[in-house]
Amino acid sequence: MIRILFFILFVLCLGLGFAWLADRPGELSLIWQGQRIEMTLMRAASILISLFAAVLIVVWLIRTIWLSPHTVTRYFRARKRDRGYQALSTGLIAAGAGDANLARKMSARSRGLISADQEPLIHLLEAQTALIEGKYDDARKKFELMADDPETRELGLRGLFLEAKRLGAKEAARQYAERAAEKAPHLPWATLATLDHRSQAGQWDEAIRLLDQSRTANVLDRKEADRKKAVLLTARAMAKLDADPKAARDDGLAALKLDDSLVPAALVTAKALFREDNLRKGAGILERMWKQQPHPDVARLYVRARGGDSALDRLKRAKKLESLRSNNAVSLSAVAEAALEARELPLARTKAETAARLEPTESVFLLLADIEEADTGDEGRIRHWMAQALRSPRDPAWTADGVTSPSWLPVSPVSGRLDAFEWKAPALQLSDKLANGHPSADEAIRSLPPVATAEHVAEHATPKPAPPPATPAVLEAERETVIKVPERKEAAPSPAKKKEETAEEEPAPFFGRPPDDPGVREATAGEKASDKAGFRLF
């Protein structure tokens, strides 16, 4: 574009010069070897410019002829290079698609057309081809060559890191990741892998320092970096809680500043404050977390903040939590547990039943079973609540990579990933059929054999008479009994009478379904008299 502009400016200047000479005519006289040459000034300028252009054309022709061998050589070299890059591109596409034969063919062709020293992507193509063919040793050798080259060091280290992870060599993977993070701190995979390895080893200070370096290099966005740093600070606070509660408190408060929704940070901060006898500030942190996210661990720690409180005091604190988040299943369950400990059973039953209506989970029905045992001791109702707990969805728990933990952990024990645990319901529900063919809970309950009663035992214990022999008279009698007799239709009972009968038969309703085992029924006066008169099996 700049050359075109200069050419246009040159032509414009040339035209302006000729126009200026045309407006100012003149004569030019030249004596050369005794001859006098006269011409106009315009003709002299035209001859001069034409001579200059002819000289330039002659110089260009001579230069082109002189450099023609090099030009031809460069042309064929460029054509060969283009063919090599085309083969390299085709081979990389084939390797990405999983076509090992084509990738190997294009790798050999590109190596023959392009020098591997000039184009390091040939090593990558050969390594990828070896991985597709299952030649992992050859691929590892190629990655090692790439790791030694400064131009392809990061690519080779990443390949070696992935191979070490595939083989389960965690220590080798850690070394490759740390080497890559040291040479190129802007690589996200190296930073995250090194961060996970240091977190698994419990090196919280080194992990926080590495995370700060990655934030400076803009490897992670601000939100993700703040979350990971809050998790690391919480983990360090948990490690320092027993030895240094003050340092644990500072780390917990710093974690809450970065992420105020992190429940473990609030818990460890409150525990540190409680150990410093700062009950008010610790309770305030738990209350703020409770308003944002009601959590059973928060409720449990808040209710038992003081070790010397009575059951009534704990019930008051649970009621305060309920006032902060009313009409919440977790709040109602906390009040019900505290009321059960305080032996206020009607309140405990009311709150637990309300929580079960809001969120019918396993723990709520187990709590109702405990209340039933403490209140009435009715085995039938207790078994009913236990069966409801078996059929209900499981409670949320700290879950990571399919593994549940009773408490929060900063690192997953399966994958070693930082901040992997989430508070959610486990993926496997008891009401679903398992993949290995086990029946569900409802099917297992329905498949249980019926309970044997006294009537069943007496019926099976009494010997039945043997049937008579098949004689012509007996066959004729059986044939006559086959004749159908019209049934008599009884008069339909009145609605009032039917209502009275159903009222007498139906038991008094209570929350939930009727019990599976109604318990021991008291015998009537007639049954007692018959038991005294006759033989009793039980």
Coordinates of all heavy atoms in Angstrom, one line a residue, residues 309-377:
D309 N -23.8 -25.0 78.8 CA -25.3 -24.7 78.7 C -26.1 -25.9 78.9 O -25.7 -27.0 78.6 CB -25.6 -24.1 77.3 CG -25.1 -22.7 77.1 OD1 -24.7 -22.1 78.1 OD2 -25.0 -22.3 75.9
S310 N -27.3 -25.6 79.5 CA -28.3 -26.7 79.7 C -29.0 -27.0 78.4 O -28.9 -26.3 77.4 CB -29.2 -26.3 80.8 OG -30.0 -25.2 80.5
A311 N -29.9 -28.0 78.5 CA -30.7 -28.3 77.3 C -31.7 -27.2 76.9 O -31.9 -27.0 75.8 CB -31.4 -29.7 77.5
L312 N -32.2 -26.6 78.0 CA -33.1 -25.5 77.7 C -32.4 -24.3 77.1 O -33.0 -23.6 76.2 CB -33.8 -25.0 79.0 CG -34.8 -26.1 79.6 CD1 -35.3 -25.6 81.0 CD2 -35.9 -26.4 78.7
D313 N -31.2 -24.0 77.5 CA -30.4 -22.9 76.9 C -30.1 -23.3 75.4 O -30.2 -22.4 74.5 CB -29.1 -22.7 77.6 CG -29.3 -22.2 79.0 OD1 -30.4 -21.6 79.2 OD2 -28.5 -22.5 79.9
R314 N -29.8 -24.5 75.1 CA -29.6 -24.9 73.7 C -30.9 -24.8 72.9 O -30.8 -24.4 71.7 CB -29.0 -26.3 73.6 CG -27.6 -26.4 74.2 CD -26.9 -27.7 73.8 NE -27.6 -28.8 74.4 CZ -27.2 -29.4 75.6 NH1 -26.1 -28.8 76.2 NH2 -27.8 -30.4 76.1
L315 N -32.0 -25.1 73.5 CA -33.3 -24.9 72.8 C -33.5 -23.4 72.5 O -34.1 -23.1 71.4 CB -34.4 -25.5 73.7 CG -35.8 -25.4 73.1 CD1 -35.9 -26.1 71.7 CD2 -36.8 -26.0 74.1
K316 N -33.2 -22.6 73.4 CA -33.4 -21.1 73.2 C -32.5 -20.7 72.0 O -33.0 -19.9 71.1 CB -33.1 -20.3 74.4 CG -34.0 -20.5 75.6 CD -33.6 -19.7 76.8 CE -34.6 -19.9 77.9 NZ -34.2 -19.1 79.1
R317 N -31.3 -21.1 71.9 CA -30.4 -20.8 70.8 C -30.9 -21.3 69.5 O -30.9 -20.7 68.4 CB -29.0 -21.2 71.1 CG -28.4 -20.6 72.3 CD -27.0 -21.1 72.6 NE -26.1 -20.5 71.5 CZ -25.5 -19.3 71.6 NH1 -25.7 -18.5 72.6 NH2 -24.7 -18.9 70.6
A318 N -31.5 -22.5 69.5 CA -32.1 -23.1 68.3 C -33.3 -22.3 67.9 O -33.5 -22.1 66.7 CB -32.4 -24.6 68.6
K319 N -34.1 -21.8 68.8 CA -35.3 -21.0 68.4 C -34.8 -19.7 67.8 O -35.5 -19.1 67.0 CB -36.1 -20.8 69.7 CG -36.9 -22.0 70.1 CD -37.7 -21.7 71.3 CE -38.5 -22.9 71.8 NZ -39.4 -22.6 73.0
K320 N -33.7 -19.2 68.3 CA -33.2 -17.9 67.7 C -32.8 -18.1 66.3 O -33.0 -17.3 65.4 CB -32.0 -17.4 68.5 CG -31.5 -16.1 68.1 CD -30.4 -15.6 68.9 CE -29.9 -14.2 68.4 NZ -28.8 -13.7 69.3
L321 N -32.2 -19.3 66.0 CA -31.8 -19.6 64.6 C -33.1 -19.7 63.7 O -33.1 -19.3 62.6 CB -31.0 -20.9 64.5 CG -29.6 -20.9 64.9 CD1 -29.0 -22.3 64.8 CD2 -28.8 -19.9 64.2
E322 N -34.1 -20.3 64.3 CA -35.4 -20.4 63.6 C -36.0 -19.0 63.3 O -36.6 -18.8 62.2 CB -36.4 -21.3 64.4 CG -37.7 -21.5 63.6 CD -38.7 -22.2 64.4 OE1 -38.5 -22.4 65.6 OE2 -39.8 -22.6 63.9
S323 N -35.8 -18.1 64.2 CA -36.3 -16.8 64.0 C -35.6 -16.0 62.9 O -36.1 -15.2 62.2 CB -36.3 -15.9 65.3 OG -34.9 -15.8 65.7
L324 N -34.3 -16.4 62.7 CA -33.5 -15.8 61.6 C -33.9 -16.3 60.2 O -33.9 -15.6 59.3 CB -32.0 -16.0 61.9 CG -31.4 -15.4 63.1 CD1 -30.0 -15.8 63.2 CD2 -31.6 -13.9 63.0
R325 N -34.2 -17.6 60.2 CA -34.7 -18.2 58.9 C -35.9 -19.1 59.2 O -35.7 -20.3 59.5 CB -33.5 -19.1 58.3 CG -32.4 -18.3 57.6 CD -33.0 -17.4 56.4 NE -33.4 -18.3 55.4 CZ -32.7 -18.6 54.3 NH1 -31.4 -18.2 54.2 NH2 -33.2 -19.4 53.4
S326 N -37.0 -18.5 59.2 CA -38.2 -19.2 59.5 C -38.7 -20.0 58.3 O -38.3 -19.7 57.1 CB -39.3 -18.2 59.9 OG -39.6 -17.3 58.9
N327 N -39.6 -21.0 58.5 CA -40.1 -21.8 57.5 C -39.0 -22.5 56.7 O -39.1 -22.5 55.4 CB -41.1 -21.0 56.6 CG -42.0 -21.9 55.8 OD1 -42.3 -23.0 56.2 ND2 -42.5 -21.4 54.6
N328 N -38.0 -23.0 57.4 CA -36.9 -23.7 56.8 C -36.7 -25.0 57.4 O -36.8 -25.2 58.6 CB -35.6 -22.8 56.9 CG -34.4 -23.5 56.2 OD1 -33.7 -24.2 56.8 ND2 -34.3 -23.2 54.9
A329 N -36.5 -26.1 56.6 CA -36.5 -27.4 57.1 C -35.3 -27.6 58.1 O -35.4 -28.3 59.1 CB -36.4 -28.4 56.0
V330 N -34.1 -27.0 57.7 CA -32.9 -27.1 58.6 C -33.2 -26.5 59.9 O -32.8 -27.0 61.0 CB -31.7 -26.6 57.9 CG1 -30.5 -26.8 58.7 CG2 -31.5 -27.3 56.5
S331 N -33.8 -25.3 59.9 CA -34.1 -24.6 61.2 C -35.1 -25.4 62.0 O -34.9 -25.5 63.3 CB -34.7 -23.2 60.9 OG -33.8 -22.4 60.1
L332 N -36.1 -25.9 61.4 CA -37.1 -26.7 62.2 C -36.4 -28.0 62.7 O -36.7 -28.4 63.9 CB -38.2 -27.1 61.3 CG -39.1 -25.9 60.8 CD1 -40.1 -26.3 59.7 CD2 -39.9 -25.3 61.9
S333 N -35.6 -28.6 62.0 CA -34.9 -29.8 62.5 C -34.0 -29.5 63.7 O -33.9 -30.3 64.6 CB -34.1 -30.5 61.4 OG -34.9 -30.9 60.3
A334 N -33.3 -28.4 63.6 CA -32.4 -28.0 64.7 C -33.2 -27.7 66.0 O -32.9 -28.1 67.1 CB -31.6 -26.7 64.4
V335 N -34.4 -27.1 65.8 CA -35.3 -26.9 67.0 C -35.8 -28.2 67.5 O -35.9 -28.4 68.7 CB -36.4 -25.9 66.6 CG1 -37.4 -25.7 67.8 CG2 -35.9 -24.5 66.3
A336 N -36.2 -29.1 66.6 CA -36.7 -30.4 67.0 C -35.6 -31.2 67.8 O -35.9 -31.8 68.8 CB -37.2 -31.2 65.8
E337 N -34.4 -31.2 67.4 CA -33.3 -31.9 68.1 C -33.1 -31.3 69.4 O -32.9 -32.0 70.4 CB -32.0 -31.9 67.2 CG -32.1 -32.7 66.0 CD -30.8 -32.6 65.2 OE1 -29.9 -31.9 65.7 OE2 -30.7 -33.2 64.1
A338 N -33.1 -30.0 69.5 CA -32.9 -29.3 70.8 C -34.0 -29.6 71.7 O -33.9 -29.8 73.0 CB -32.6 -27.8 70.6
A339 N -35.3 -29.6 71.2 CA -36.4 -29.9 72.0 C -36.4 -31.3 72.5 O -36.9 -31.6 73.6 CB -37.7 -29.6 71.3
L340 N -35.9 -32.2 71.7 CA -35.9 -33.6 72.1 C -34.9 -33.8 73.3 O -35.1 -34.5 74.2 CB -35.4 -34.5 70.9 CG -35.2 -36.0 71.2 CD1 -36.5 -36.6 71.7 CD2 -34.7 -36.7 70.0
E341 N -33.7 -33.1 73.2 CA -32.8 -33.1 74.3 C -33.4 -32.5 75.6 O -33.1 -32.9 76.7 CB -31.5 -32.4 73.9 CG -30.7 -33.2 72.8 CD -29.4 -32.4 72.4 OE1 -29.2 -31.4 73.1 OE2 -28.7 -32.9 71.5
A342 N -34.2 -31.4 75.4 CA -34.8 -30.8 76.5 C -36.0 -31.5 77.0 O -36.7 -31.0 78.0 CB -35.1 -29.3 76.2
R343 N -36.4 -32.6 76.4 CA -37.6 -33.4 76.8 C -38.9 -32.7 76.6 O -39.9 -32.9 77.3 CB -37.5 -33.9 78.2 CG -36.2 -34.6 78.6 CD -35.9 -35.8 77.7 NE -36.9 -36.8 77.8 CZ -36.9 -38.0 77.1 NH1 -36.0 -38.1 76.2 NH2 -37.9 -38.9 77.3
E344 N -38.9 -31.7 75.7 CA -40.1 -31.0 75.3 C -40.6 -31.8 74.0 O -40.5 -31.3 72.9 CB -39.9 -29.5 75.0 CG -39.6 -28.8 76.3 CD -39.6 -27.3 76.1 OE1 -40.1 -26.8 75.0 OE2 -39.2 -26.5 77.0
L345 N -41.2 -32.9 74.2 CA -41.6 -33.8 73.1 C -42.7 -33.3 72.2 O -42.6 -33.5 71.0 CB -41.9 -35.2 73.7 CG -40.8 -35.8 74.5 CD1 -41.3 -37.2 75.1 CD2 -39.6 -36.0 73.7
P346 N -43.7 -32.6 72.7 CA -44.7 -32.1 71.8 C -44.2 -31.1 70.8 O -44.5 -31.1 69.6 CB -45.8 -31.5 72.7 CG -45.6 -32.2 74.0 CD -44.2 -32.5 74.1
L347 N -43.3 -30.2 71.3 CA -42.6 -29.2 70.5 C -41.7 -29.9 69.5 O -41.7 -29.5 68.3 CB -41.8 -28.2 71.3 CG -41.0 -27.1 70.5 CD1 -42.0 -26.3 69.7 CD2 -40.2 -26.3 71.5
A348 N -41.0 -30.9 69.9 CA -40.1 -31.6 69.0 C -40.9 -32.3 67.9 O -40.5 -32.3 66.8 CB -39.3 -32.6 69.8
R349 N -42.0 -32.9 68.3 CA -42.8 -33.6 67.3 C -43.4 -32.6 66.3 O -43.4 -32.9 65.0 CB -43.9 -34.4 68.0 CG -44.8 -35.2 67.0 CD -45.9 -35.9 67.7 NE -45.4 -36.9 68.7 CZ -45.2 -38.1 68.3 NH1 -45.3 -38.5 67.1 NH2 -44.7 -39.0 69.3
T350 N -43.9 -31.5 66.7 CA -44.5 -30.5 65.8 C -43.4 -30.0 64.8 O -43.7 -29.9 63.6 CB -45.1 -29.3 66.7 OG1 -46.0 -29.9 67.6 CG2 -45.7 -28.3 65.7
K351 N -42.3 -29.6 65.3 CA -41.2 -29.1 64.5 C -40.7 -30.1 63.5 O -40.5 -29.8 62.3 CB -40.1 -28.5 65.3 CG -40.4 -27.4 66.2 CD -40.9 -26.2 65.4 CE -41.2 -25.0 66.3 NZ -41.8 -23.8 65.6
A352 N -40.6 -31.3 64.0 CA -40.1 -32.4 63.1 C -41.1 -32.7 62.0 O -40.7 -33.0 60.8 CB -39.7 -33.6 63.9
E353 N -42.3 -32.8 62.3 CA -43.3 -33.1 61.3 C -43.4 -31.9 60.3 O -43.6 -32.2 59.1 CB -44.7 -33.3 62.0 CG -44.8 -34.6 62.8 CD -46.1 -34.8 63.5 OE1 -46.9 -33.8 63.4 OE2 -46.4 -35.8 64.1
T354 N -43.3 -30.7 60.7 CA -43.3 -29.6 59.8 C -42.1 -29.7 58.9 O -42.2 -29.4 57.7 CB -43.3 -28.3 60.6 OG1 -44.4 -28.3 61.5 CG2 -43.5 -27.1 59.6
A355 N -40.9 -30.0 59.4 CA -39.7 -30.1 58.6 C -39.9 -31.3 57.6 O -39.5 -31.2 56.4 CB -38.5 -30.4 59.5
A356 N -40.6 -32.4 58.0 CA -40.8 -33.5 57.1 C -41.7 -33.1 56.0 O -41.6 -33.6 54.9 CB -41.4 -34.7 57.9
R357 N -42.7 -32.2 56.3 CA -43.6 -31.8 55.2 C -42.8 -30.9 54.2 O -43.1 -30.9 53.0 CB -44.8 -31.0 55.8 CG -45.8 -31.9 56.6 CD -47.0 -31.1 56.9 NE -47.9 -32.0 57.7 CZ -48.0 -32.0 59.0 NH1 -47.1 -31.2 59.7 NH2 -48.8 -32.8 59.7
L358 N -41.9 -30.1 54.7 CA -41.2 -29.2 53.8 C -40.1 -30.0 53.0 O -40.1 -29.8 51.8 CB -40.5 -28.1 54.6 CG -41.4 -27.1 55.3 CD1 -40.5 -26.1 56.1 CD2 -42.1 -26.3 54.2
E359 N -39.3 -30.8 53.6 CA -38.3 -31.5 53.0 C -38.2 -32.9 53.6 O -37.6 -33.2 54.6 CB -36.9 -30.9 53.1 CG -36.8 -29.6 52.3 CD -35.4 -29.0 52.4 OE1 -34.5 -29.7 52.9 OE2 -35.2 -27.8 52.0
P360 N -38.9 -33.9 53.0 CA -38.9 -35.3 53.6 C -37.6 -36.0 53.3 O -37.5 -36.7 52.3 CB -40.1 -35.9 52.9 CG -40.3 -35.2 51.6 CD -39.8 -33.8 51.8
T361 N -36.7 -35.8 54.2 CA -35.4 -36.5 54.0 C -35.2 -37.6 55.0 O -36.0 -37.7 56.0 CB -34.3 -35.4 54.1 OG1 -34.3 -34.8 55.4 CG2 -34.3 -34.4 53.0
E362 N -34.1 -38.3 54.9 CA -33.9 -39.4 55.8 C -33.7 -39.0 57.2 O -34.2 -39.6 58.1 CB -32.6 -40.1 55.3 CG -32.2 -41.4 56.0 CD -31.0 -42.0 55.5 OE1 -30.4 -41.5 54.5 OE2 -30.6 -43.1 56.0
S363 N -32.9 -37.9 57.5 CA -32.6 -37.5 58.8 C -33.9 -37.1 59.6 O -34.0 -37.3 60.8 CB -31.6 -36.4 58.8 OG -32.1 -35.3 58.2
V364 N -34.8 -36.4 58.9 CA -36.0 -36.0 59.5 C -36.8 -37.1 60.0 O -37.3 -37.1 61.2 CB -36.8 -35.1 58.6 CG1 -38.2 -34.7 59.2 CG2 -36.0 -33.9 58.1
F365 N -37.0 -38.2 59.2 CA -37.8 -39.3 59.7 C -37.0 -40.1 60.8 O -37.7 -40.7 61.7 CB -38.1 -40.2 58.5 CG -39.1 -39.6 57.6 CD1 -38.7 -39.2 56.3 CD2 -40.4 -39.5 58.0 CE1 -39.7 -38.6 55.5 CE2 -41.4 -38.9 57.1 CZ -41.0 -38.5 55.9
L366 N -35.7 -40.2 60.7 CA -35.0 -40.8 61.8 C -35.2 -40.0 63.1 O -35.3 -40.6 64.2 CB -33.5 -40.9 61.5 CG -33.1 -41.9 60.4 CD1 -31.6 -41.8 60.1 CD2 -33.5 -43.3 60.7
L367 N -35.2 -38.7 63.0 CA -35.5 -37.8 64.2 C -36.9 -38.1 64.7 O -37.1 -38.2 65.9 CB -35.3 -36.4 63.8 CG -35.6 -35.3 64.9 CD1 -34.7 -35.5 66.1 CD2 -35.4 -33.9 64.4
L368 N -37.9 -38.3 63.8 CA -39.2 -38.6 64.3 C -39.3 -40.0 64.9 O -40.0 -40.2 65.9 CB -40.2 -38.6 63.1 CG -40.7 -37.2 62.6 CD1 -41.3 -37.3 61.3 CD2 -41.6 -36.6 63.6
A369 N -38.5 -40.9 64.5 CA -38.4 -42.2 65.2 C -37.8 -42.0 66.6 O -38.3 -42.7 67.5 CB -37.6 -43.2 64.3
D370 N -36.8 -41.2 66.7 CA -36.3 -41.0 68.1 C -37.3 -40.3 69.0 O -37.4 -40.6 70.2 CB -35.0 -40.1 68.0 CG -33.9 -40.8 67.3 OD1 -33.9 -42.1 67.3 OD2 -33.0 -40.1 66.7
I371 N -38.0 -39.3 68.4 CA -39.1 -38.7 69.2 C -40.2 -39.7 69.6 O -40.7 -39.6 70.7 CB -39.6 -37.5 68.4 CG1 -38.5 -36.4 68.2 CG2 -40.8 -36.9 69.1 CD1 -39.0 -35.3 67.2
E372 N -40.5 -40.5 68.7 CA -41.6 -41.5 69.0 C -41.1 -42.5 70.0 O -41.9 -42.8 70.9 CB -41.9 -42.3 67.7 CG -43.2 -43.1 67.8 CD -44.4 -42.2 67.8 OE1 -44.5 -41.2 67.0 OE2 -45.3 -42.4 68.7
E373 N -39.9 -42.9 70.0 CA -39.4 -43.8 71.0 C -39.3 -43.1 72.4 O -39.6 -43.7 73.4 CB -38.0 -44.2 70.6 CG -37.4 -45.2 71.6 CD -36.0 -45.7 71.2 OE1 -35.4 -45.1 70.2 OE2 -35.4 -46.6 71.8
A374 N -39.0 -41.8 72.4 CA -38.9 -41.1 73.7 C -40.3 -40.7 74.2 O -40.5 -40.6 75.4 CB -38.1 -39.8 73.6
D375 N -41.3 -40.6 73.3 CA -42.6 -40.1 73.7 C -43.5 -41.3 74.1 O -44.0 -41.4 75.2 CB -43.2 -39.3 72.6 CG -44.5 -38.6 73.0 OD1 -44.8 -38.6 74.2 OD2 -45.2 -38.0 72.2
T376 N -43.8 -42.2 73.1 CA -44.7 -43.2 73.3 C -44.1 -44.6 73.4 O -44.7 -45.5 74.1 CB -45.8 -43.2 72.2 OG1 -45.1 -43.5 71.0 CG2 -46.5 -41.9 72.1
G377 N -43.0 -44.8 72.8 CA -42.4 -46.1 72.8 C -43.1 -47.1 71.9 O -42.9 -48.3 72.1

